[in-house]
Amino acid sequence: MTDFVAVIPARYASTRLPGKPLADLAGRPMVVRVAERARESGAAAVVIATDHEEIAAAARRHGFEACLTRADHRTGTDRIAEVVAVRGFPPQQVIVNVQGDEPFIDPALIREAAHHLHAHAEAAIATACHPIRDLESFLSPSVVKVVLDVHGFALYFSRAPIPYPRDAFAAGAKALPRGLPAYRHIGIYAYRAEFLTAYSGLPKTEAEEFEALEQLRALAHGYRIAVWVTDRAAPAGIDTPEDLERARLAMAKEAGHRPYGSHHN
């Protein structure tokens, strides 16, 4: 059994949904719903990392540990790095970054991230992807793609359609050609604590800035990212009031079928 800690970065400010972590989902704040899923993953500890006392208070009220962090972090990874510094985790401690706006995340996905990093000693990070089947997703800049090497390590992440099927598209293909290794990146990350300690000191790169993908900083500085392919669809994150309303309806429907917390695949 891999020992790992799940950390949930929860920033109060959100352009499209202010106070998002505190949004009510079936009687509990969204970030608490995420933490419940993280707890089901078998994590040795679940920590909510936030810049806001109200979020920290909500976490503690529901029995979860909270760590108050600076308000000026630009990324969730930077926020988690502060938690590592505050808590003094040993260098090889595995930390899983669980997005605070994914209340339907599969606990098995969190556990698999930790296991995959544990199984790849040469990697600083582990993350997941799943096959892209449709042309619309492949072409969409909101769908992040990843290209892998023959050993399952990330070569590059991009919002562009990669790998680009030159001949098929030149011939006017209206669907993805059979066998194209197109993968959508799933935003679950496992890190070693020593990488997080180094991360905030790494200079940003042009590719990271233009693509708006922070994982490119790790690749640019020579860190290896181990990726596993899963057929599980990525859970839908909550970014807008419309997303929140859909999540409320889905959670109400789910609660009607089973008590929350009795997770099944």
Side-chain angles (χ1 to χ4, degrees):
M1 184 71 177
T2 303
D3 173 60
F4 67 96
V5 174
V7 181
I8 304 166
R11 185 171 63 98
Y12 185 83
S14 171
T15 304
R16 289 178 288 182
L17 197 59
K20 179 166 66 171
L22 295 173
D24 181 82
L25 283 179
R28 295 186 187 179
M30 183 195 309
V31 71
V32 170
R33 291 299 189 190
V34 176
E36 289 171 337
R37 293 279 173 147
R39 183 168 57 195
E40 290 180 22
S41 72
V46 177
V47 181
I48 294 172
T50 182
D51 60 352
H52 200 277
E53 182 56 54
E54 193 175 346
I55 296 172
R60 295 174 184 132
R61 191 162 56 246
H62 289 89
F64 291 99
E65 180 183 351
C67 182
L68 274 173
T69 59
R70 302 199 322 263
D72 60 350
H73 289 307
R74 290 188 62 185
T75 71
T77 307
D78 290 311
R79 194 173 304 283
I80 294 171
E82 184 179 348
V83 174
V84 168
V86 169
R87 288 286 302 270
F89 288 120
Q92 292 301 308
Q93 176 66 59
V94 173
I95 311 288
V96 180
N97 177 352
V98 182
Q99 301 295 323
D101 60 0
E102 294 184 356
F104 299 103
I105 190 168
D106 188 339
L109 193 66
I110 301 170
R111 188 165 56 249
E112 285 170 13
H115 288 175
H116 199 69
L117 183 58
H118 183 74
H120 293 81
E122 65 273 54
I125 306 171
T127 191
C129 68
H130 67 82
I132 296 175
R133 313 288 189 193
D134 64 287
L135 185 61
E136 182 181 2
S137 295
F138 184 64
L139 297 177
S140 171
S142 65
V143 174
V144 178
K145 275 71 68 174
V146 59
V147 174
L148 309 179
D149 71 13
V150 295
H151 303 292
F153 290 92
L155 288 171
Y156 192 69
F157 296 84
S158 183
R159 299 181 183 280
I162 58 171
Y164 190 82
R166 184 196 64 176
D167 293 344
F169 280 4
K174 302 300 183 184
L176 294 182
R178 185 181 300 274
L180 180 71
Y183 296 106
R184 176 177 188 159
H185 177 229
I186 299 173
I188 182 87
Y189 295 97
Y191 314 96
R192 300 188 199 283
E194 61 184 359
F195 166 77
L196 288 166
T197 300
Y199 176 79
S200 58
L202 298 176
K204 290 184 173 66
T205 66
E206 290 87 353
E208 174 193 359
E209 294 279 11
F210 280 102
E211 291 260 25
L213 296 174
E214 62 184 276
Q215 62 269 43
L216 292 177
R217 191 188 319 176
L219 285 182
H221 289 282
Y223 290 94
R224 303 189 77 188
I225 302 177
V227 186
W228 82 98
V229 180
T230 176
D231 281 327
R232 287 193 187 89
I238 297 174
D239 290 316
T240 66
E242 293 75 22
D243 293 340
L244 179 59
E245 187 56 35
R246 281 192 292 270
R248 285 172 170 160
L249 292 171
M251 192 155 284
K253 183 177 179 181
E254 182 181 75
H257 286 85
R258 62 182 176 89
Y260 191 85
S262 57
H263 178 78
H264 63 280
N265 291 326

